[in-house]
Amino acid sequence: MSVFRNDAVAKVCGAAKYADDYTFPGMLHAAPVYGDEVHARILQLDTSRAAAAPGVVRVLTAADVPGHSHWGQLEHDLPIFASTHLRSHGDVVALVVATSREQAIAAAELVELRCEPLPAVTDLRQAFESNQGCAGTDGNSARTLGKHQSHQQKLVYPEKGSNIANHHKLRHGDVDAAFAHCTHRLQRSFSTQAIEHAYMEPEAAVVVPRSDGVLEIFGSMQHPFSTRQFTAALLAVPLSEIEVYTIPVGGGFGGKDDTAAVVCARAALAAKLLQRPVKLTYLREWSMRESYKRHPYLLDYELGLSSDGRILAARIRMLADSGPYLSVTPFVTWRSIVHCCGPYVVPNVHCDVYGVYTNNIFSGAMRGFGSPQVNFAIEQLIEIAAQELDIEPLELRRRNMVHQDCITVTGQRLSGHTVSLSQALDSVLERIGYHEKRARCSYGEGDELYGIGLAMCYRGMSLGSEGTDMCSAIINGQFDGSILLETGIHENGQGSESAMILALSEALGVRRERIRYRRGSTSSIPDSATTVASRGTLMGTSAVVCAAEKLKSQMAKTLAELLRCEPEQVEFRDDALWGGATEEGQARSKLSWDEAVWQLYLRQQTPFAYANFQAPAIDWDEEHGQGNAYFTWVYGCQAAEVLVDKRTGKVRVTNMVAAHDVGKAYNPPMVLGQIYGGITQALGYALSEDFLMKDGRVQSDNFHKYRIPKATDVPELTAIILENPDPASASHAKGIGEPALELGAAAIANALHAATGQRFFSLPMKPAPTPSERSQA
C-alpha cells in the first residue's frame, strides 16, 4: 500500500513552522492573567504594579477593547476579557505585554483582583434540578421569597432565571402506548467525564500589523475564519482588515476553535494598539485551565422490548455540562438526540437532551461530538437487554440494527447510499474470531480475567442541520503544466491536503507530482465552514472534483478541435488529453498535459477553475426532532479484547479490530492512521482520562495529573476499510475522523463485562480488586 503525505518531510525533519516558530523584528510577548475564583463578581482590577514591572509595555483589560469583550459561535457570552463577573476558573481578566515572555509571565503575578465570591454551581444534576420551583413567587410571603432567593443562588446566570442552556426534543411514535405492550422494560443510568484534548502543541498566536492597516495572524487554530470573526468583533473592524494564515497545527481534535480564536484575538488587540508584532504562546497549565473540554453527560435510559427481542420503545433524558458558556453545546446535544438510540430501529422514542450551565470549565467540540457518550450507554444497554431476554447479543443486534431503506428515530429513510452496518459487523466478527473467543470469556472466574466485546454505530456525516454546509476549491494551472490547489478545508494534521491532491490527480488524470497544495489565508478563498464533523474529506474532495469538472469542460471545449473530436469525447488520463474513438487502425489524437496547458495559453485561456460544492438539502422539525437530519451516513463496528488482573483490577486491552465504511478511500494509509489514532484516544476515554475539578477549580493542570494512554498501553490494532462509493458525495468519499473514536469505550465496556461479569456505568472504567485481595493489594 503506497503512502503519500505532502507535508511528511517537513514535519519529520523539523522544517515545518508552527505558530511559536514565527518571530518578527520588534516582537513583544504576552501572558494572560486569570481570576482565582470559580464564580464571583469583580469589584476592582488593579494593574498598576504589573504595568510598572521591568519590561512591561502595557497591561490590557476589557476597558481597552474597542469592540466586543465577549464573543462566541452561537451566543456572545465567552469572555475574551472578563469585566464584571468570573464564571469559571479559566476566565482571563487581563493581558500583560512585555519585551520578553519571562517578563510578561512574572508581571502577570502582580495584577491584583478583588472579587465578591458567589455560590458556585458545579454539580450537573443539581444545576439541572435547580430550575424547579420559583414560579408563582409574589414577594408577599417570606417563605416564598426565601425559596426564590435560594433558587437564585443556584443559577449561573440569575438574570436568565434558569440553568438550561438549550433543549432538544425528539418525539417519534407513541411511547406510552408502546411501553404498555412491552414484555420487558429496563432502566439504566450512565455518566461520562470531562476530557482534555491533549494536543501536543498548546495554543499560540503571532499577530503582525501590516503597513496597510491589516493585521496578519499566524496561529495554532482549526478554523481561520472563526478566528477572524472573534478578532474582528473584539477590535470592531471589518473582516477585511484581518488576514489569518493557514499554518501547520500540532493537533486539535476539535479543541482549537473557540479558545484558540480567543488567544489570537487577545494577541491581535495588543498588536493593533501597540503597532508591533505580538506573540502569545500558552504554557500547558494555561491551556488546560482555559480550554474547553468534552461535555460530561448524565444519561438516563428506559427501554421497552417485546418477548422476541424487538426494541419497541425508548424514553431518554440526557444532561450535558456546558460550563458557563454556550460555545457549540446546542450542536453537540443536537447530534446526541439524532443518535440517541444508536444504530437501531426504534419505532417509538421520547427523548430530551439538555445543555446545562454550570461554573465548571466550559465544554465545546471534541472528536466524536456528542456520540461517544451516547454509544457508551446504548451499546451496553443492548447487551443488558439481551441478557435479560436470554437472547445472544449478536442476534438481538441483528434483529434491531438499521438496514437498507429502514426508518430512523428521526423519521429519515436510509436510502440513496449503501447501509453497510451488517458488512462492518461481519467483517469484524470474522477478523477477530469473535465466536470462538466469546466462549473463552471469564465472567469473573479465575485470576486473570479475559473478555471480548464489540460495539456498532452509524453516524450522520458533515454538519447536517447544525448549519449551512458548503466548501470551495480553486484550481490554478500554471503555463508550465504545474497546478496550484486550494480548498476551504483546514489542515489540522489529519492529512486533508494529501487527500485533496490525490482527488485532483485522479479527477484530472495527471501525476500527483504536478500538484502543489497552496496554503492560503482567509483572504484567498471563501469561508467553507469549520473543519469539523468529519466533513473535511467529504466536502473538500467533493469541491475539488466539482472544480476539476469545470476545468476539464473548459479545456475540452478549447482543445477539441486539436484533438479531432467533440468536446464530450475528450478523455483525461495518463497525464494527457486524448481524442475520442477513431476508425479502426488510426491512432487517437493526444496532447500531453504540458502541451494542452500551453495550447490554452496560446488561445488566451487560463486553466483556472473555482467551484463551491453545496451539500444536498436536508429538512428538520426542531419541535418534534423529526426530519432528514443528514444527507448521508457512515457505519462502523469495533471489537476489543481485554485482560483484567483480578488481584489489582488493572486492565490491559490486548487487541482491537475496527471496520469502517468511508465511501471511497483516497489515501488508505491515512485512513488507517485515523482509525488507529481514534482507537488510541478512545482507550484514554474508556480507562484513564478524567479532567478533574474540585468545586470548579482545575486540578488536572498538566499531564502529570492527567493520564493519557502511553505507547505501551496501545494494543494490537487492525483496521478494515470498507468502500461503498456514495452518490451524495461528488467524490464518492465520506470520512473517518470521528467514527474512529466513538466506539472504543463502548466496545471495551462490553469486553470488561465479559471478563469480570460486572457492568460499568461511568467513565473512566476502573474495575475494583476482588474483596479477598483488596486488603493485600
Side-chain angles (χ1 to χ4, degrees):
M1 186 181 294
S2 63
V3 179
F4 169 65
R5 177 108 188 195
N6 67 313
D7 56 1
V9 173
K11 288 183 173 179
V12 170
C13 296
K17 289 186 68 174
Y18 295 83
D20 191 53
D21 294 323
Y22 284 84
T23 59
F24 296 89
M27 187 173 72
L28 301 171
H29 296 263
V33 179
Y34 294 93
D36 196 41
E37 298 290 340
V38 172
H39 192 198
R41 183 177 293 108
I42 296 174
L43 302 178
Q44 183 181 29
L45 179 62
D46 186 351
T47 63
S48 57
R49 290 179 61 212
V56 173
V57 177
R58 188 163 177 177
V59 181
L60 303 174
T61 68
D64 298 295
V65 174
H68 297 277
S69 63
H70 291 64
W71 198 248
Q73 296 195 51
L74 296 173
E75 187 171 310
H76 302 165
D77 61 354
L78 177 61
I80 301 178
F81 291 104
S83 55
T84 62
H85 287 78
L86 297 175
R87 288 195 167 90
S88 87
H89 200 222
D91 284 356
V92 169
V93 296
L95 188 75
V96 176
V97 186
T99 54
S100 75
R101 189 174 189 230
E102 293 74 18
Q103 290 170 327
I105 293 173
E109 297 293 326
L110 303 177
V111 174
E112 298 176 8
L113 181 67
R114 190 164 64 88
C115 295
E116 176 192 349
L118 299 172
V121 181
T122 59
D123 182 275
L124 176 55
R125 196 175 294 278
Q126 289 180 7
F128 176 75
E129 292 173 351
S130 71
N131 296 285
Q132 310 301 317
C134 205
T137 300
D138 58 13
N140 296 322
S141 165
R143 181 178 178 182
T144 303
L145 180 59
K147 183 177 180 181
H148 173 69
Q149 291 172 338
S150 174
H151 170 76
Q152 292 290 92
Q153 291 178 350
K154 298 176 183 178
L155 299 180
V156 176
Y157 296 95
E159 65 273 19
K160 292 180 182 288
S162 170
N163 285 327
I164 301 300
N166 69 284
H167 175 204
H168 292 298
K169 297 181 289 185
L170 190 153
R171 306 291 186 260
H172 185 69
D174 189 335
V175 171
D176 292 334
F179 269 118
H181 291 89
C182 293
T183 58
H184 292 78
R185 296 173 70 161
L186 61 144
Q187 292 179 298
R188 297 292 188 279
S189 295
F190 303 83
S191 65
T192 68
Q193 76 282 42
I195 288 289
E196 162 69 24
H197 296 77
Y199 25 74
M200 290 181 67
E201 177 199 27
E203 294 81 0
V206 182
V207 182
V208 183
R210 219 160 61 193
S211 59
D212 62 357
V214 171
L215 291 176
E216 297 183 334
I217 298 178
F218 305 85
S220 176
M221 76 202 78
Q222 289 187 226
H223 188 226
F225 290 94
S226 61
T227 296
R228 185 177 64 162
Q229 292 166 5
F230 274 67
T231 305
L234 181 76
L235 302 181
V237 300
L239 295 174
S240 58
E241 293 192 17
I242 310 294
E243 183 163 10
V244 185
Y245 289 93
T246 58
I247 62 173
V249 176
F253 316 115
K256 286 185 176 171
D257 206 334
D258 292 18
T259 312
V262 167
V263 170
C264 292
R266 292 184 188 130
L269 175 65
K272 184 173 181 62
L273 294 179
L274 299 172
Q275 283 301 295
R276 290 174 64 178
V278 174
K279 177 184 287 188
L280 174 55
T281 298
Y282 266 35
L283 298 172
R284 183 63 64 181
E285 287 81 2
W286 302 346
S287 175
M288 294 185 74
R289 178 173 180 172
E290 186 179 343
S291 65
Y292 55 83
K293 315 304 173 191
R294 185 193 298 285
H295 289 75
Y297 267 53
L298 297 175
L299 308 99
D300 300 319
Y301 272 81
E302 181 180 13
L303 286 187
L305 299 96
S306 63
S307 58
D308 63 350
R310 303 286 178 180
I311 304 174
L312 301 181
R315 184 177 283 111
I316 307 160
R317 189 186 72 180
M318 304 183 206
L319 308 180
D321 189 340
S322 181
Y325 311 119
L326 193 64
S327 184
V328 292
T329 293
F331 292 160
V332 172
T333 51
W334 180 77
R335 183 173 284 273
S336 296
I337 205 162
V338 173
H339 294 80
C340 66
C341 289
Y344 302 104
V345 178
V346 184
N348 303 281
V349 183
H350 183 290
C351 181
D352 292 281
V353 184
Y354 298 89
V356 182
Y357 288 124
T358 70
N359 290 115
N360 297 316
I361 300 300
F362 80 113
S363 303
M366 187 174 182
R367 189 178 187 181
F369 207 77
S371 287
Q373 300 94 325
V374 171
N375 290 334
F376 174 66
I378 195 67
E379 284 301 292
Q380 288 198 84
L381 275 170
I382 200 76
E383 296 212 345
I384 293 170
Q387 185 175 9
E388 291 203 3
L389 273 68
D390 196 23
I391 298 176
E392 212 286 324
L394 281 178
E395 178 57 30
L396 192 68
R397 282 188 164 91
R398 293 190 190 278
R399 292 181 191 181
N400 293 281
M401 58 198 274
V402 295
H403 52 82
Q404 200 71 46
D405 294 319
C406 72
I407 304 298
T408 71
V409 295
T410 72
Q412 180 171 357
R413 183 177 296 278
L414 294 180
S415 61
H417 68 278
T418 301
V419 178
S420 56
L421 187 58
S422 61
Q423 182 186 9
L425 173 62
D426 291 338
S427 298
V428 168
L429 294 176
E430 180 181 358
R431 185 66 61 90
I432 204 168
Y434 183 86
H435 295 289
E436 182 267 330
K437 291 177 178 177
R438 186 76 174 175
R440 293 165 35 202
C441 292
S442 302
Y443 292 101
E445 299 297 325
D447 293 326
E448 185 175 64
L449 308 177
Y450 168 81
I452 187 171
L454 62 81
M456 309 188 306
C457 70
Y458 77 159
R459 183 179 185 86
M461 290 303 292
S462 205
L463 298 180
S465 289
E466 294 172 30
T468 303
D469 211 352
M470 58 187 179
C471 183
S472 298
I474 295 172
I475 302 171
N476 191 353
Q478 308 300 299
F479 74 87
D480 65 351
S482 60
I483 302 168
L484 294 174
L485 170 64
E486 185 177 357
T487 74
I489 297 300
H490 191 254
E491 174 62 67
N492 297 328
Q494 75 275 42
S496 66
E497 292 180 359
S498 304
M500 305 306 153
I501 290 171
L502 292 170
L504 182 59
S505 172
E506 179 180 301
L508 293 181
V510 301
R511 295 179 293 111
R512 71 167 189 245
E513 291 78 11
R514 290 190 179 277
I515 305 168
R516 167 73 64 177
Y517 195 93
R518 180 181 184 274
R519 285 182 177 153
S521 75
T522 51
S523 299
S524 64
I525 195 164
D527 188 348
S528 296
T530 55
T531 303
V532 294
S534 303
R535 65 186 291 276
T537 300
L538 191 165
M539 299 300 292
T541 58
S542 290
V544 167
V545 168
C546 290
E549 292 302 317
K550 283 189 174 182
L551 180 59
K552 288 161 67 175
S553 177
Q554 171 202 356
M555 295 178 72
K557 289 177 182 178
T558 304
L559 302 176
E561 185 178 356
L562 278 177
L563 292 168
R564 301 196 299 276
C565 67
E566 296 299 319
E568 59 271 16
Q569 295 177 301
V570 177
E571 294 183 25
F572 292 74
R573 58 178 173 82
D574 302 328
D575 218 37
L577 278 66
W578 300 77
T582 62
E583 295 180 10
E584 189 173 347
Q586 292 183 352
R588 299 181 68 179
S589 301
K590 173 188 174 184
L591 286 171
S592 70
W593 182 263
D594 292 345
E595 292 171 331
V597 171
W598 183 243
Q599 289 295 331
L600 283 182
Y601 275 98
L602 290 177
R603 288 160 174 76
Q604 297 179 305
Q605 292 286 320
T606 303
F608 177 93
Y610 164 82
N612 181 44
F613 175 72
Q614 297 176 330
I618 54 177
D619 60 85
W620 186 252
D621 173 6
E622 179 66 21
E623 179 62 25
H624 300 93
Q626 295 293 286
N628 296 317
Y630 297 94
F631 66 85
T632 194
W633 299 72
V634 293
Y635 306 87
C637 178
Q638 292 184 6
E641 295 181 75
V642 303
L643 291 175
V644 181
D645 186 320
K646 194 173 183 178
R647 183 180 64 86
T648 64
K650 181 178 175 59
V651 178
R652 183 160 62 94
V653 181
T654 61
N655 185 30
M656 290 194 73
V657 175
H660 290 275
D661 188 346
V662 300
K664 178 177 180 177
Y666 276 101
N667 200 352
M670 290 294 98
V671 174
L672 295 178
Q674 285 286 296
I675 295 174
Y676 299 152
I679 291 174
T680 302
Q681 285 188 298
L683 285 176
Y685 187 48
L687 299 173
S688 65
E689 295 187 47
D690 193 0
F691 185 83
L692 297 178
M693 289 170 277
K694 184 177 181 180
D695 299 324
R697 293 178 181 271
V698 172
Q699 306 297 299
S700 301
D701 61 356
N702 210 318
F703 289 138
H704 69 295
K705 298 179 182 177
Y706 184 84
R707 190 179 182 280
I708 60 175
K710 302 187 297 289
T712 53
D713 296 322
V714 180
E716 183 73 23
L717 300 177
T718 302
I720 304 165
I721 300 174
L722 305 178
E723 293 186 270
N724 292 289
D726 196 315
S729 162
S731 65
H732 303 307
K734 298 188 192 184
I736 187 56
E738 290 173 295
L741 181 146
E742 67 182 12
L743 281 176
I748 293 170
N750 285 330
L752 282 175
H753 173 260
T756 66
Q758 303 172 19
R759 278 287 165 198
F760 298 88
F761 299 100
S762 298
L763 290 175
M765 295 175 285
K766 297 183 182 297
T770 58
S772 59
E773 301 286 352
R774 191 174 295 153
S775 60
Q776 306 173 25

